[in-house]
Amino acid sequence: MGDWFQRIVDLDATEEDAERLGAEIKRWLIERGVVVAEEDDCVLGAETGNRPGPHADEVIEPAPMKDWTRLWTCGLDVETGRTVFDGGQGEPQAAICPRCTSRIRLVTDSWEPIDEAWEPFATAIGTWHDTGAADITCPTCAVPVPLREWQWADDYFAFGCLGFEFWNWPRLTDAFVREVAERLGGHRVVHIEGKL
Ligand SMILES: [Zn+2]
Protein backbone atom coordinates (compact mmCIF):
# COMPACT_ATOMS: atom_id res chain seq x y z
CA MET A 1 0.00 0.00 0.00
CA GLY A 2 1.41 3.33 -1.03
CA ASP A 3 0.25 6.78 -0.12
CA TRP A 4 -2.15 8.77 -2.30
CA PHE A 5 -2.06 12.46 -2.79
CA GLN A 6 -4.25 15.05 -4.40
CA ARG A 7 -3.04 18.46 -5.32
CA ILE A 8 -4.79 21.63 -6.24
CA VAL A 9 -2.18 23.52 -8.27
CA ASP A 10 -2.56 27.23 -9.00
CA LEU A 11 -1.45 27.78 -12.60
CA ASP A 12 -1.48 31.57 -12.39
CA ALA A 13 0.16 32.45 -9.05
CA THR A 14 3.50 34.19 -9.55
CA GLU A 15 6.56 33.50 -7.44
CA GLU A 16 5.92 36.83 -5.69
CA ASP A 17 2.27 35.99 -4.87
CA ALA A 18 2.63 32.35 -3.88
CA GLU A 19 3.63 32.72 -0.22
CA ARG A 20 0.88 35.23 0.55
CA LEU A 21 -1.83 33.32 -1.31
CA GLY A 22 -0.79 30.03 0.25
CA ALA A 23 -0.95 31.52 3.75
CA GLU A 24 -4.37 33.09 3.06
CA ILE A 25 -5.88 29.83 1.86
CA LYS A 26 -4.39 27.91 4.78
CA ARG A 27 -5.82 30.44 7.26
CA TRP A 28 -9.25 30.11 5.62
CA LEU A 29 -9.07 26.29 5.77
CA ILE A 30 -8.18 26.46 9.47
CA GLU A 31 -11.01 28.93 10.24
CA ARG A 32 -13.46 26.71 8.39
CA GLY A 33 -12.30 23.60 10.27
CA VAL A 34 -11.08 21.77 7.16
CA VAL A 35 -7.65 21.42 8.77
CA VAL A 36 -6.38 22.05 12.29
CA ALA A 37 -4.03 24.92 13.12
CA GLU A 38 -1.37 22.82 14.85
CA GLU A 39 1.24 21.31 12.59
CA ASP A 40 2.95 17.99 13.04
CA ASP A 41 4.58 15.18 11.08
CA CYS A 42 1.61 14.11 8.93
CA VAL A 43 2.72 14.60 5.30
CA LEU A 44 5.38 13.22 3.00
CA GLY A 45 7.96 15.49 1.38
CA ALA A 46 7.82 18.18 4.07
CA GLU A 47 8.61 18.37 7.77
CA THR A 48 5.12 19.19 8.97
CA GLY A 49 1.57 19.64 7.75
CA ASN A 50 -1.93 20.25 9.04
CA ARG A 51 -4.19 17.31 9.89
CA PRO A 52 -7.88 17.22 8.94
CA GLY A 53 -10.17 19.34 11.09
CA PRO A 54 -13.73 18.73 12.33
CA HIS A 55 -15.28 19.88 9.03
CA ALA A 56 -12.98 18.05 6.61
CA ASP A 57 -15.91 15.86 5.57
CA GLU A 58 -17.60 18.92 4.01
CA VAL A 59 -15.01 19.13 1.24
CA ILE A 60 -14.64 15.46 0.30
CA GLU A 61 -16.73 12.89 -1.53
CA PRO A 62 -18.42 10.40 0.83
CA ALA A 63 -15.49 8.38 2.19
CA PRO A 64 -15.48 4.61 1.72
CA MET A 65 -12.95 4.42 4.56
CA LYS A 66 -14.37 6.03 7.68
CA ASP A 67 -11.22 6.27 9.74
CA TRP A 68 -8.89 7.86 7.17
CA THR A 69 -8.30 10.79 9.53
CA ARG A 70 -6.51 8.40 11.89
CA LEU A 71 -3.84 7.55 9.33
CA TRP A 72 -0.37 8.75 10.21
CA THR A 73 -0.08 10.48 6.84
CA CYS A 74 -3.30 12.47 6.34
CA GLY A 75 -2.23 16.11 6.31
CA LEU A 76 -2.18 19.14 4.08
CA ASP A 77 1.11 20.54 2.81
CA VAL A 78 1.15 23.96 1.14
CA GLU A 79 3.97 24.03 -1.40
CA THR A 80 5.34 27.33 -2.65
CA GLY A 81 8.12 28.21 -5.06
CA ARG A 82 8.71 27.02 -8.60
CA THR A 83 7.64 23.36 -8.56
CA VAL A 84 7.24 20.54 -11.04
CA PHE A 85 4.04 18.89 -9.81
CA ASP A 86 3.80 15.38 -11.24
CA GLY A 87 1.67 12.27 -10.90
CA GLY A 88 4.22 10.34 -8.83
CA GLN A 89 4.51 6.83 -10.21
CA GLY A 90 4.56 5.94 -13.90
CA GLU A 91 5.49 7.90 -16.99
CA PRO A 92 3.84 10.86 -18.66
CA GLN A 93 1.96 9.36 -21.62
CA ALA A 94 1.56 12.29 -23.94
CA ALA A 95 1.83 16.04 -24.26
CA ILE A 96 -0.79 17.97 -26.21
CA CYS A 97 0.10 21.12 -28.14
CA PRO A 98 -2.32 23.93 -27.20
CA ARG A 99 -1.84 25.56 -30.63
CA CYS A 100 -2.54 22.68 -33.03
CA THR A 101 -3.91 20.09 -30.54
CA SER A 102 -1.56 17.41 -31.85
CA ARG A 103 -0.77 14.72 -29.33
CA ILE A 104 2.94 14.02 -28.85
CA ARG A 105 3.29 10.45 -27.62
CA LEU A 106 5.93 9.98 -24.94
CA VAL A 107 5.58 6.23 -24.35
CA THR A 108 5.15 3.24 -26.66
CA ASP A 109 2.20 0.83 -26.51
CA SER A 110 4.26 -1.25 -24.08
CA TRP A 111 4.90 1.83 -21.88
CA GLU A 112 8.54 2.24 -22.84
CA PRO A 113 9.58 5.90 -22.82
CA ILE A 114 10.20 7.32 -26.31
CA ASP A 115 13.48 9.07 -25.59
CA GLU A 116 13.64 11.30 -28.66
CA ALA A 117 10.11 12.61 -28.02
CA TRP A 118 10.68 13.13 -24.31
CA GLU A 119 14.12 14.76 -24.57
CA PRO A 120 12.97 18.32 -25.54
CA PHE A 121 10.42 18.28 -22.72
CA ALA A 122 12.98 17.06 -20.18
CA THR A 123 15.35 19.83 -21.22
CA ALA A 124 12.60 22.46 -21.01
CA ILE A 125 11.49 21.26 -17.57
CA GLY A 126 15.05 21.67 -16.29
CA THR A 127 15.34 25.12 -17.86
CA TRP A 128 11.97 26.23 -16.46
CA HIS A 129 12.93 25.02 -13.00
CA ASP A 130 16.18 27.00 -13.15
CA THR A 131 14.94 30.17 -14.84
CA GLY A 132 11.13 30.26 -14.76
CA ALA A 133 10.74 30.18 -18.55
CA ALA A 134 11.18 27.60 -21.31
CA ASP A 135 9.61 26.89 -24.70
CA ILE A 136 9.26 23.64 -26.59
CA THR A 137 8.87 23.85 -30.35
CA CYS A 138 5.93 21.68 -31.33
CA PRO A 139 7.12 18.94 -33.69
CA THR A 140 3.83 19.16 -35.61
CA CYS A 141 3.11 22.87 -36.07
CA ALA A 142 6.68 24.13 -35.47
CA VAL A 143 5.47 26.88 -33.11
CA PRO A 144 7.48 27.45 -29.90
CA VAL A 145 5.05 26.94 -27.00
CA PRO A 146 5.85 27.84 -23.37
CA LEU A 147 6.19 24.79 -21.15
CA ARG A 148 3.37 25.89 -18.84
CA GLU A 149 0.87 26.03 -21.73
CA TRP A 150 1.30 22.41 -22.86
CA GLN A 151 -1.45 20.06 -21.78
CA TRP A 152 -0.71 16.59 -20.45
CA ALA A 153 -2.56 13.31 -20.76
CA ASP A 154 -4.26 12.57 -17.42
CA ASP A 155 -3.09 16.01 -16.22
CA TYR A 156 0.19 14.29 -15.42
CA PHE A 157 2.17 17.50 -14.97
CA ALA A 158 1.46 20.97 -13.72
CA PHE A 159 4.14 23.63 -13.49
CA GLY A 160 3.45 26.28 -10.94
CA CYS A 161 4.51 28.17 -7.83
CA LEU A 162 1.69 27.21 -5.47
CA GLY A 163 0.16 23.84 -4.70
CA PHE A 164 -2.06 22.43 -1.96
CA GLU A 165 -1.18 18.80 -1.38
CA PHE A 166 -3.64 16.60 0.54
CA TRP A 167 -2.23 13.24 1.65
CA ASN A 168 -4.56 10.22 1.70
CA TRP A 169 -7.73 12.33 1.70
CA PRO A 170 -10.79 10.90 -0.02
CA ARG A 171 -11.46 12.69 -3.30
CA LEU A 172 -11.98 16.43 -2.86
CA THR A 173 -15.29 17.64 -4.27
CA ASP A 174 -15.35 19.67 -7.47
CA ALA A 175 -17.24 22.38 -5.57
CA PHE A 176 -14.38 22.69 -3.08
CA VAL A 177 -11.78 22.89 -5.84
CA ARG A 178 -13.82 25.67 -7.50
CA GLU A 179 -14.09 27.50 -4.18
CA VAL A 180 -10.32 27.40 -3.71
CA ALA A 181 -9.90 28.79 -7.25
CA GLU A 182 -12.30 31.64 -6.45
CA ARG A 183 -10.43 32.42 -3.24
CA LEU A 184 -7.23 32.54 -5.27
CA GLY A 185 -8.72 35.43 -7.23
CA GLY A 186 -10.22 33.31 -9.99
CA HIS A 187 -6.91 31.73 -10.89
CA ARG A 188 -6.87 28.66 -13.10
CA VAL A 189 -6.26 25.53 -11.04
CA VAL A 190 -5.83 21.85 -11.79
CA HIS A 191 -6.76 19.00 -9.50
CA ILE A 192 -4.16 16.23 -9.79
CA GLU A 193 -4.20 12.85 -8.13
CA GLY A 194 -1.20 10.58 -7.76
CA LYS A 195 0.47 7.87 -5.76
CA LEU A 196 3.89 7.44 -4.21
ZN1 LIG B 1 1.53 22.24 -32.36
Side-chain angles (χ1 to χ4, degrees), residues 63-78:
M65 196 171 68
K66 289 272 177 260
D67 53 355
W68 66 276
T69 57
R70 300 220 299 266
L71 294 171
W72 185 261
T73 302
C74 67
L76 163 68
D77 177 27
V78 179

Side-chain angles (χ1 to χ4, degrees), residues 52-130:
H55 299 298
D57 57 346
E58 293 172 8
V59 304
I60 57 173
E61 303 285 354
M65 196 171 68
K66 289 272 177 260
D67 53 355
W68 66 276
T69 57
R70 300 220 299 266
L71 294 171
W72 185 261
T73 302
C74 67
L76 163 68
D77 177 27
V78 179
E79 298 180 293
T80 56
R82 214 178 284 147
T83 307
V84 179
F85 297 100
D86 69 37
Q89 290 182 334
E91 304 285 345
Q93 292 180 54
I96 298 124
C97 173
R99 303 287 192 273
C100 71
T101 71
S102 82
R103 189 180 171 91
I104 318 298
R105 291 194 60 178
L106 302 173
V107 292
T108 65
D109 288 339
S110 53
W111 291 88
E112 296 298 322
I114 304 172
D115 291 337
E116 59 274 25
W118 171 239
E119 206 272 336
F121 290 96
T123 304
I125 289 169
T127 304
W128 177 80
H129 196 265
D130 292 342

Side-chain angles (χ1 to χ4, degrees), residues 97-102 138-143 145 150:
C97 173
R99 303 287 192 273
C100 71
T101 71
S102 82
C138 172
T140 307
C141 68
V143 173
V145 177
W150 284 85

